[in-house]
Amino acid sequence: MWDFVFDDGGNRIAASISPLNLIDHRYMFRRISLIDLSDGTMRQVSANEGKLGNYAFSPDGSRLAYAAALDRADHQVSQAFVADLTAGPDPDVSATPAGSVRNLTPEGFKGHIEWVSWKDDQTLLFTAGEGVYNTLNSLPPGGAPRVLAHGKDWGLTFEAPVHTADLGRWVFVASTPSDASNLYAWNGTGAPRLLTDLNPVLRDRILGRQEVVRFAARDGQAIEGLLIHPPMERTPEVRSFPDPLCARGPESHHSHGWLELLLHPRPGHGRQGLPGALRELPGQHGVRGRLCHERV
């Protein structure tokens, strides 16, 4: 068992379970089982074939929403599924009742759903990565998604939120291109409010400007990327170049927020005025590509 959540009544838990306690099993072989705490009975309720994200009971406990990959070949969590928990137990606990799971991802949705929750017993909430921004959406039954918040409007890249049952209060971690993670609060309307100031030292640092770039690929597909400019690009004594951030790996998604991660050359290159390009090459197991710095 890797993790679990209680239903609102505290009588059942949904738990993600894999056959073995190995990292590859955590990535690819977790399935959600429903456990009745009164008698310990357990049955599998998810039908995911690959990666699994978060999961949440509906307020009345009749359904379970979960984020997961489309299929085994999908390298990242990207879809919103709902399992009907009223279908009844299956004699084979390793099998999911036929027809009890539906994929509610809107047809043709140009994004990756990353997190799911509930607005009420019928309406889903989800966050998604769309281009270099992320969004918070509601999805009524049989309807089209409605954007509740857009990272572009806020100037933030936010992570999975925590919210009260009435959706009147939200809390989440978010970043900007010039500020690493901080805690924000939101009341469901307007702009979020900054709660913490965890990175005051950044105000004394000269950071390279981060820019969103868009272009059409040879096949006509629209591509968004990020261009990181060296901080001294306008200094005549130093000839410097921007760092293009090319997110090509099947599992990668770079948002327009704080990008100083271990494998990004930005701290030692874009911010020091050195030329460089960031490219992704095929990685182990065919998932996230390893990064290679090349001179431009």
Side-chain angles (χ1 to χ4, degrees):
M1 181 184 297
W2 293 94
D3 45 49
F4 59 89
V5 295
F6 283 89
D7 66 7
D8 283 357
N11 301 314
R12 299 171 300 169
I13 64 172
S16 70
I17 299 172
S18 65
L20 297 175
N21 183 26
L22 299 174
I23 189 62
D24 282 351
H25 277 246
R26 184 186 187 282
Y27 282 139
M28 294 299 296
F29 300 108
R30 287 188 301 146
R31 306 293 182 265
I32 303 172
S33 289
L34 184 68
I35 303 174
D36 190 322
L37 298 180
S38 64
D39 57 16
T41 57
M42 179 176 68
R43 63 185 175 100
Q44 182 180 318
V45 294
S46 71
N48 57 300
E49 299 179 6
K51 294 186 176 180
L52 176 67
N54 82 302
Y55 44 97
F57 283 98
S58 61
D60 66 0
S62 66
R63 299 194 292 173
L64 185 80
Y66 64 91
L70 176 63
D71 52 34
R72 191 180 181 87
D74 190 351
H75 292 276
Q76 185 57 287
V77 171
S78 64
Q79 311 286 303
F81 295 90
V82 170
D84 180 5
L85 303 182
T86 65
D90 192 298
D92 180 0
V93 296
S94 66
T96 302
S100 66
V101 176
R102 291 192 299 151
N103 186 345
L104 298 188
T105 307
E107 185 176 355
F109 181 65
K110 295 182 178 179
H112 265 200
I113 292 177
E114 302 166 337
W115 168 91
V116 293
S117 184
W118 294 92
K119 180 180 179 181
D120 52 47
D121 290 330
Q122 301 296 322
T123 308
L124 273 183
L125 297 169
F126 68 87
T127 62
E130 301 182 55
V132 297
Y133 299 101
N134 54 359
T135 60
L136 171 65
N137 308 266
S138 65
L139 182 63
R146 183 170 74 91
V147 177
L148 304 179
H150 200 297
K152 183 178 181 179
D153 298 332
W154 286 350
L156 296 172
T157 290
F158 55 90
E159 299 180 14
V162 176
H163 61 85
T164 56
D166 63 359
L167 307 185
R169 287 181 290 175
W170 301 70
V171 177
F172 50 83
V173 173
S175 72
T176 73
S178 59
D179 186 22
S181 298
N182 268 298
L183 196 62
Y184 289 78
W186 185 52
N187 63 8
T189 61
R193 176 170 54 92
L194 180 66
L195 295 179
T196 60
D197 183 17
L198 302 179
N199 315 291
V201 67
L202 293 178
R203 289 194 287 271
D204 301 323
R205 298 291 186 268
I206 300 175
L207 305 177
R209 179 170 58 92
Q210 187 168 293
E211 175 188 2
V212 179
V213 292
R214 299 176 178 86
F215 59 94
R218 287 177 295 179
D219 60 2
Q221 291 294 320
I223 295 178
E224 279 191 348
L226 299 169
L227 189 65
I228 302 172
H229 296 254
M232 59 283 292
E233 61 183 343
R234 295 183 178 88
T235 304
E237 294 81 10
V238 179
R239 185 188 178 197
S240 58
F241 301 84
D243 275 356
L245 190 60
C246 309
R248 299 184 62 209
E251 203 182 43
S252 294
H253 175 245
H254 296 293
S255 296
H256 192 29
W258 186 257
L259 289 176
E260 192 165 271
L261 301 177
L262 176 64
L263 295 179
H264 292 153
R266 178 178 179 178
H269 297 89
R271 295 186 180 179
Q272 299 297 327
L274 300 178
L278 187 63
R279 304 195 176 200
E280 295 203 1
L281 304 177
Q284 188 180 19
H285 306 306
V287 290
R288 186 183 297 277
R290 63 185 177 89
L291 302 179
C292 175
H293 177 255
E294 299 178 354
R295 297 193 64 83
V296 175

